[in-house]
Amino acid sequence: GGIITQTPKFLIGQEGQKLTLKCQQNFNHDTMYWYRQDSGKGLRLIYYSITENDLQKGDLSEGYDASREKKSSFSLTVTSAQKNEMAVFLCASTPGTANERLFFGHGTKLSVL
Amino acid sequence: AQRVTQVQPTGSSQWGEEVTLDCSYETSEYFYRIFWYRQLFSGEMVFLIYQPSFDTQNQRSGRYSVVFQKSFKSISLVISASQPEDSGTYFCALSEPDRGSALGRLHFGAGTQLIVIP
């Protein structure tokens, strides 16, 4: 079995700050995703990557940058944190072949003061 | 525009009852898949079941099954003999292939929060 590790678990930032969230997977999966979940709502895709150095924008990419320098890691940067922003960021991965599902990390909870 | 719609924001059932959660979606792809996930109160996402578009048989996995109505672009998750441990938020997700990745982008619905009363 494998695991997806997201760091940090909790992130508190200041308005305007640049914040980076990290995700590591040891499944050797090709495809990785970043989703944002606001309280009581569904998951919205920010970025995804089907292989090392590949980046594809999702529906919510504005205000974010992503980086996939290694197959095992996918990082997300909030370029300028918004005041009172509060959300959970979920990282996921999949082999990318047919009939495979997503495996999720436990999330990073962001609060902006 | 919303690609995946779950019209029931909340639902409840009594222990042992069968529960049906509804989902509708929009796609112009011929090949796609619909996944169901449950989010625990801890935030952990648990995979439940998926239905490929090309399979006319409704999928089953343990106490979970789906009712797939392809022509209506709707799919329901059915949980038989519901238990309090089934409580949580259930998400429907549409997967459309993209370039080299069979899973592609997943579009999630807003979720249905289910409470199973003991």
Side-chain angles (χ1 to χ4, degrees):
Chain A
I3 191 167
I4 297 181
T5 304
Q6 288 188 240
T7 54
K9 242 177 161 167
F10 299 96
L11 184 55
I12 299 175
Q14 303 282 342
E15 185 183 8
Q17 200 176 357
K18 191 170 168 178
L19 302 165
T20 298
L21 292 69
K22 293 187 186 295
C23 177
Q24 290 268 122
Q25 52 98 359
N26 62 0
F27 290 103
N28 199 33
H29 284 169
D30 288 312
T31 307
M32 296 185 75
Y33 301 79
W34 275 108
Y35 283 93
R36 173 183 167 129
Q37 186 176 26
D38 292 276
S39 181
K41 296 195 177 166
L43 282 66
R44 289 184 290 172
L45 181 63
I46 307 172
Y47 268 97
Y48 76 107
S49 165
I50 65 168
T51 189
E52 188 177 319
N53 293 321
D54 175 74
L55 287 176
Q56 297 299 318
K57 291 183 178 181
D59 303 317
L60 202 67
S61 60
E62 195 170 322
Y64 301 94
D65 286 328
S67 172
R68 183 96 185 270
E69 289 171 358
K70 288 192 302 184
K71 188 177 181 180
S72 61
S73 68
F74 194 29
S75 62
L76 181 73
T77 299
V78 180
T79 54
S80 179
Q82 301 297 304
K83 189 173 173 64
N84 297 323
E85 184 175 5
M86 196 179 296
V88 175
F89 292 82
L90 287 165
C91 177
S93 72
T94 182
T97 56
N99 302 330
E100 290 294 341
R101 62 178 176 92
L102 284 183
F103 293 77
F104 282 89
H106 282 81
T108 292
K109 195 163 191 171
L110 171 69
S111 298
V112 181
L113 305 176
Chain B
Q2 193 78 341
R3 301 292 301 279
V4 179
T5 304
Q6 293 179 257
V7 293
Q8 307 149 294
T10 59
S12 65
S13 73
Q14 298 282 342
W15 196 342
E17 283 182 347
E18 182 176 276
V19 175
T20 299
L21 305 176
D22 300 320
C23 173
S24 61
Y25 55 90
E26 291 175 24
T27 183
S28 55
E29 296 288 340
Y30 183 77
F31 292 111
Y32 58 89
R33 282 171 286 164
I34 304 292
F35 288 79
W36 282 95
Y37 286 86
R38 176 163 70 108
Q39 189 170 41
L40 308 181
F41 294 120
S42 66
E44 184 181 347
M45 295 286 280
V46 178
F47 165 75
L48 301 176
I49 193 169
Y50 85 93
Q51 175 77 45
S53 61
F54 54 80
D55 194 340
T56 55
Q57 271 211 314
N58 291 324
Q59 299 301 300
R60 298 191 70 88
S61 177
R63 291 188 296 111
Y64 302 107
S65 61
V66 298
V67 177
F68 182 41
Q69 298 182 289
K70 187 175 178 178
S71 57
F72 294 108
K73 293 198 170 119
S74 84
I75 184 165
S76 298
L77 175 71
V78 180
I79 308 171
S80 63
S82 61
Q83 301 164 8
E85 306 88 86
D86 294 328
S87 299
T89 304
Y90 287 77
F91 290 100
C92 173
L94 164 69
S95 160
E96 296 167 319
D98 180 20
R99 298 170 296 137
S101 171
L103 197 64
R105 296 169 177 245
L106 260 81
H107 303 273
F108 282 80
T112 297
Q113 190 168 22
L114 175 69
I115 305 277
V116 180
I117 302 161

